[in-house]
Amino acid sequence: MNQKLPTQEWRRISNGYDAVASRSCSIHSDCYLEPQFLQIEQEQIFARTWQFLCHEEQLREPGSYVTADIQGQSIVAMRDTQGELRAFYNVCKHRGHELLSGAGKVKAITCPYHAWVYNLDGSLRRARRSELIENFCEADIHLDTIRVETFCHLVFVNLDNDSSALADVSENLASEVLSYAPDLADLTFAHRLTYRIQANWKSVVDNFLECYHCPVAHKDFVSLVEMDTYKVTTHGIYSSHMAQAGRTDNQAYNISGASVTDHAVWYLWPNTTLMRYPGRGNFMVWRFIPVGPEETYEEFDFFFETARPEPAELEAIAFIDNVLQPEDISLVESVQRGMRTPGFTQGRYLVDPDGSGMSEHGVHHFHGLILDAYQRACSL
């Protein structure tokens, strides 16, 4: 049963929010603390939106597959023998056992419990000893499908089979990404960083969506990025964060010989960021996955020209892992602790009319999408 939000509760937590960022207050701190809001988000947001799975390189060959946990649901995406990309709930139709794990390549899907065998299109090929039971027809049994799409050479899945294609709802995002990363199809997975953060996932996104804090909290980062060129632009379900970067010596990491001299970052609703940093050809996908009302799991995937990062790329990874991420984690965990006190319930957005990186209009845009989801829960 979906979690319903009383209309008066929606009015309380949205009180002070205005469509114009410069005169608006943020959403109420209770949205970052109370379990009911996470349940609403899981139902009204994560069960309806596109979630990153992998680079298409992992699913190019027939029989290749990748499994994942999407908001507590076990899923598998794979390439069938006809070259079509498919995705299913990763459970056998016999007793519900998970079919595949990790990633790899198979000729057929065989359940490790009772050895029911499925074709790569999800149809049942064989059920051991099924000839002994009545009214059993293999042709009637098929794995349940979910939406899957290749977008900018990246694979996304959506648990809502009635959802619109990501390419249709994301406006010009694909052309923006590929204009900055024309080599994305040829990049390969090279590294993953993971973190457990004691903060609500929205606190983590809030922090990502503004660089007002950067000159204060990220001294090395602002030596890499030319802050006077930083612009943030909001769109329907994404925002772009662009700046020139890596053209002079900096305190973050070595950029000598860099072919990429832009800081190009996109936030994709609700919990994915796509990134291109100064250096050799590269791309990063960063996901913020809610674990509980005050805990977030992060996955940070790096794609480079080669599977083995070069020394400068290892230095960039180390900068993110040892400097930038600890700085941000400290910030959002402090914010989360502050929200538990009666000393804070809502704040104002610092808005720059010119849309600079020092402005918080990207956070305001994100909060508007959150409130839209909460409002849907009022009509249940």
Side-chain angles (χ1 to χ4, degrees), residues 27 55 150 252 306 355:
I27 59 178
H55 191 287
T150 301
T306 55

Side-chain angles (χ1 to χ4, degrees), residues 21 87 101 103-104 113 121 133 135 197 200 207 252 283 313 327-328:
S101 60
Y113 196 4
D121 64 359
I133 60 176
N135 304 322
I197 302 174
N200 185 275
N207 180 72
F283 204 77
E313 291 164 341
E327 290 171 345
D328 275 330

Side-chain angles (χ1 to χ4, degrees), residues 348-369:
R348 294 294 300 273
Y349 305 100
L350 195 292
V351 178
D352 178 355
D354 293 330
S356 74
M358 298 283 283
S359 178
E360 295 178 312
H361 60 286
V363 183
H364 172 266
H365 170 253
F366 170 58
H367 288 179
L369 294 172

Side-chain angles (χ1 to χ4, degrees), residues 221-379:
F221 176 79
V222 297
S223 73
L224 174 70
V225 175
E226 299 173 27
M227 293 299 295
D228 60 340
T229 68
Y230 205 128
K231 290 286 185 182
V232 176
T233 307
T234 60
H235 306 270
I237 64 165
Y238 78 97
S239 56
S240 59
H241 306 247
M242 304 297 182
Q244 295 174 351
R247 299 192 299 178
T248 58
D249 289 339
N250 69 89
Q251 299 170 13
Y253 60 87
N254 181 15
I255 46 82
S256 59
S259 58
V260 176
T261 55
D262 289 297
H263 166 82
V265 175
W266 299 267
Y267 159 72
L268 174 60
W269 165 259
N271 63 327
T272 303
T273 65
L274 312 173
M275 310 167 70
R276 177 105 157 165
Y277 267 21
R280 200 167 57 136
N282 71 90
F283 204 77
M284 290 161 275
V285 181
W286 194 1
R287 286 170 286 174
F288 315 113
I289 303 168
V291 176
E294 298 189 77
E295 184 176 3
T296 302
Y297 173 68
E298 289 188 348
E299 284 189 347
F300 203 149
D301 287 352
F302 295 79
F303 302 91
F304 295 137
E305 294 177 13
T306 55
R308 183 187 293 274
E310 290 190 341
E313 291 164 341
L314 290 172
E315 187 179 338
I317 292 170
F319 166 68
I320 292 171
D321 193 28
N322 300 328
V323 179
L324 195 59
Q325 275 293 88
E327 290 171 345
D328 275 330
I329 290 172
S330 177
L331 293 172
V332 298
E333 290 186 340
S334 176
V335 167
Q336 191 69 30
R337 291 191 298 271
M339 287 188 177
R340 296 189 204 123
T341 76
F344 177 85
T345 54
Q346 289 176 285
R348 294 294 300 273
Y349 305 100
L350 195 292
V351 178
D352 178 355
D354 293 330
S356 74
M358 298 283 283
S359 178
E360 295 178 312
H361 60 286
V363 183
H364 172 266
H365 170 253
F366 170 58
H367 288 179
L369 294 172
I370 292 289
L371 288 174
D372 287 344
Y374 292 165
Q375 193 167 32
R376 286 197 298 270
C378 293
S379 60

Side-chain angles (χ1 to χ4, degrees), residues 10-21 23-28 346 349 361 363-372:
W10 181 84
R11 288 173 179 157
R12 183 182 71 85
I13 55 97
S14 63
N15 183 43
Y17 183 87
D18 192 286
V20 178
R23 63 186 185 217
S24 179
C25 289
S26 63
I27 59 178
H28 199 283
Q346 289 176 285
Y349 305 100
H361 60 286
V363 183
H364 172 266
H365 170 253
F366 170 58
H367 288 179
L369 294 172
I370 292 289
L371 288 174
D372 287 344

Side-chain angles (χ1 to χ4, degrees), residues 117-173:
V117 180
Y118 299 85
N119 297 309
L120 301 184
D121 64 359
S123 60
L124 180 64
R125 178 188 298 181
R126 182 174 65 257
R128 282 190 316 118
R129 300 174 63 81
S130 60
E131 69 276 6
L132 301 178
I133 60 176
E134 299 180 22
N135 304 322
F136 184 86
C137 180
E138 292 176 348
D140 292 339
I141 298 176
H142 197 288
L143 300 180
D144 287 5
T145 61
I146 63 173
R147 295 290 305 275
V148 61
E149 181 177 336
T150 301
F151 179 82
C152 293
H153 307 289
L154 306 172
V155 178
F156 288 79
V157 294
N158 193 324
L159 299 179
D160 180 5
N161 280 332
D162 294 326
S163 62
S164 299
L166 179 55
D168 292 338
V169 297
S170 59
E171 303 177 57
N172 294 322
L173 177 59

